[in-house]
Amino acid sequence: MNEIEKLIQIMGRLPGLGPRSARRAVLHLMKKREALLQPLIGALGDVSANVRTCGTCGNLDATDPCAICRDAGRDGAMLCVVADVGDLWALERIGTYKGRYHVLGGVLSALDGIGPEQLSIAPLLRRVEDGSVREVILALGATVDGQTTAHYLADRLQPFNLAISRLAHGVPVGGELDYLDDGTLIQAMKARQKF
Amino acid sequence: MNEIEKLIQIMGRLPGLGPRSARRAVLHLMKKREALLQPLIGALGDVSANVRTCGTCGNLDATDPCAICRDAGRDGAMLCVVADVGDLWALERIGTYKGRYHVLGGVLSALDGIGPEQLSIAPLLRRVEDGSVREVILALGATVDGQTTAHYLADRLQPFNLAISRLAHGVPVGGELDYLDDGTLIQAMKARQKF
């Protein structure tokens, strides 16, 4: 296998790229050596050398503790529990949450053999046991595994006398009722709010 | 902009990856540092250091002339003209063509301001002028620009007394007549063959 085929094979293992799109991407890189290939090699090397997992919350950053954990302007009494770093980024993009995070590294899944020991649950319990955290927001997906994980965590957090909340379910902004699944509609009706 | 955001921004410039899928790809790379991130950095570095454009045909390879141009088992009297290296790879995958190639580096396009000088046309004419090439196959796309380029090249190759051919147009294998565009059907009918 030559250099290009090897690169295509590795690129094809990225999510969202199959063999065909990996080939296109590699050809594009070869055409834009200075403008794209060299910057990509540099950026990958930087990330590989400098980015680490925050030992406190599990975020990815160039420092440990990460910028969010070090930010004194953030409310350390609120902890938002997310499955993955991508979810943390999604919440940071909306920019309204000013507490801290805890990244589980996934959700419980009997099918994939992921139990509580595979997730960052013991570190979460250690973070709340000194009493400095007053509210934990379980920001997990509205999937079966996500909700199972939320219930499991709510049980484990029970003894610490915290406010435990979850994200609201309901009609997505811009969503048409006609196209919504029944489960969402039922939740939206149950949690209806005063106009 | 931190290291990860910079990498996401660069990855998002690859064809087929938008900002969202670039984020997913980068998170995946961070999870698989040993299995994917390091091999990717290595493979990109190898390609950047070793792969060059063949000075004869325009193919990409670790050697110049490339493996196809050096292969004495290939028929030097046949030259297949393609727009891009990706087209060359597509023809190599079918494995039935045993001649050599010439990569134009694109097609003529008034809209994109691509004239004959921007393409590898002068080198193509130099390759045929010594009389060693007997047939030129214009394997260009069945688009307006591809066909314009094919006509232009046929004109320029006229004086050299060569056989000039193009790929057959017709019903794609596995294709249903009902779903074919009229242009293809007209071509297929015109070029009908004895059963």
Side-chain angles (χ1 to χ4, degrees), chain A residues 2-4 6-8 10-11 13-17 21 23-31 33 35-41 43-48 50-53 60-62 84-86 89 93, chain B residues 2-4 6-8 10-11 13-17 21 23-31 33 35-41 43-48 50-53 60-62 84-86 89 93:
Chain A
N2 72 24
E3 286 87 348
I4 296 188
K6 198 170 159 199
L7 178 58
I8 293 171
I10 293 173
M11 294 276 285
R13 283 158 55 197
L14 291 174
L17 284 179
S21 42
R23 266 202 303 274
R24 270 182 65 214
V26 168
L27 275 173
H28 191 74
L29 283 171
M30 298 307 301
K31 274 194 189 168
R33 283 186 181 234
L36 199 52
L37 178 58
Q38 294 310 329
L40 179 59
I41 292 175
L44 283 166
D46 275 355
V47 161
S48 170
N50 299 322
V51 175
R52 64 211 74 199
T53 301
L60 291 167
D61 202 355
D84 268 308
V85 175
W89 291 352
R93 278 198 298 279
Chain B
N2 71 26
E3 286 89 346
I4 296 189
K6 198 170 159 198
L7 178 58
I8 292 172
I10 293 173
M11 294 276 285
R13 282 158 53 198
L14 291 173
L17 285 180
S21 43
R23 264 201 306 271
R24 269 182 66 213
V26 168
L27 274 175
H28 191 73
L29 283 170
M30 298 307 300
K31 276 195 187 168
R33 281 184 184 236
L36 198 52
L37 177 58
Q38 294 310 330
L40 178 59
I41 293 175
L44 284 166
D46 274 356
V47 161
S48 171
N50 299 321
V51 174
R52 63 210 75 200
T53 301
L60 291 167
D61 202 354
D84 268 307
V85 175
W89 292 351
R93 278 198 297 281

Side-chain angles (χ1 to χ4, degrees), chain A residues 12 90 134 193:
Chain A
R134 284 190 316 272
Q193 289 159 346

Side-chain angles (χ1 to χ4, degrees), chain B:
Chain B
M1 189 155 52
N2 71 26
E3 286 89 346
I4 296 189
E5 282 163 6
K6 198 170 159 198
L7 178 58
I8 292 172
Q9 194 240 313
I10 293 173
M11 294 276 285
R13 282 158 53 198
L14 291 173
L17 285 180
R20 198 179 205 96
S21 43
R23 264 201 306 271
R24 269 182 66 213
V26 168
L27 274 175
H28 191 73
L29 283 170
M30 298 307 300
K31 276 195 187 168
K32 314 241 169 192
R33 281 184 184 236
E34 297 308 316
L36 198 52
L37 177 58
Q38 294 310 330
L40 178 59
I41 293 175
L44 284 166
D46 274 356
V47 161
S48 171
N50 299 321
V51 174
R52 63 210 75 200
T53 301
C54 174
T56 308
C57 75
N59 188 17
L60 291 167
D61 202 354
T63 57
D64 179 12
C66 72
I68 294 174
C69 285
R70 280 183 297 120
D71 184 348
R74 290 209 170 227
D75 186 357
M78 288 188 80
L79 214 53
C80 180
V81 176
V82 292
D84 268 307
V85 175
D87 303 327
L88 186 159
W89 292 351
L91 288 165
E92 282 300 286
R93 278 198 297 281
I94 61 173
T96 55
Y97 176 68
K98 295 297 176 198
R100 300 241 161 86
Y101 291 93
H102 192 84
V103 179
L104 290 178
V107 287
L108 297 173
S109 167
L111 218 63
D112 299 333
I114 296 175
E117 311 73 36
Q118 273 84 54
L119 303 178
S120 174
I121 291 177
L124 169 65
L125 300 176
R126 280 198 296 277
R127 283 182 81 181
V128 301
E129 72 185 359
D130 71 356
S132 63
V133 174
R134 286 189 314 272
E135 179 174 358
V136 170
I137 305 169
L138 301 172
L140 300 165
T143 59
V144 172
D145 285 346
Q147 295 307 300
T148 305
T149 309
H151 280 114
Y152 177 85
L153 290 177
D155 268 359
R156 298 290 302 269
L157 291 166
Q158 192 73 53
F160 298 100
N161 196 28
L162 299 156
I164 301 175
S165 56
R166 64 162 174 80
L167 296 184
H169 292 172
V171 185
V173 175
E176 304 253 28
L177 292 200
D178 202 14
Y179 291 92
L180 270 182
D181 63 296
D182 294 353
T184 304
L185 261 185
I186 290 167
Q187 291 280 354
M189 185 59 92
K190 231 195 268 179
R192 65 188 177 279
Q193 290 157 346
K194 206 172 141 52
F195 196 78

Side-chain angles (χ1 to χ4, degrees), chain A residues 91-158:
Chain A
L91 288 165
E92 282 300 289
R93 278 198 298 279
I94 62 174
T96 55
Y97 175 68
K98 295 297 176 198
R100 301 240 161 87
Y101 291 95
H102 191 84
V103 180
L104 292 178
V107 287
L108 296 173
S109 167
L111 219 64
D112 299 334
I114 296 175
E117 310 74 35
Q118 273 84 55
L119 302 178
S120 175
I121 291 177
L124 170 64
L125 299 177
R126 278 198 297 278
R127 285 182 79 181
V128 301
E129 71 185 0
D130 71 353
S132 63
V133 175
R134 284 190 316 272
E135 179 174 357
V136 171
I137 305 170
L138 301 172
L140 300 164
T143 59
V144 172
D145 285 346
Q147 293 308 299
T148 305
T149 309
H151 280 113
Y152 177 85
L153 289 177
D155 268 359
R156 297 291 302 270
L157 291 166
Q158 192 72 52

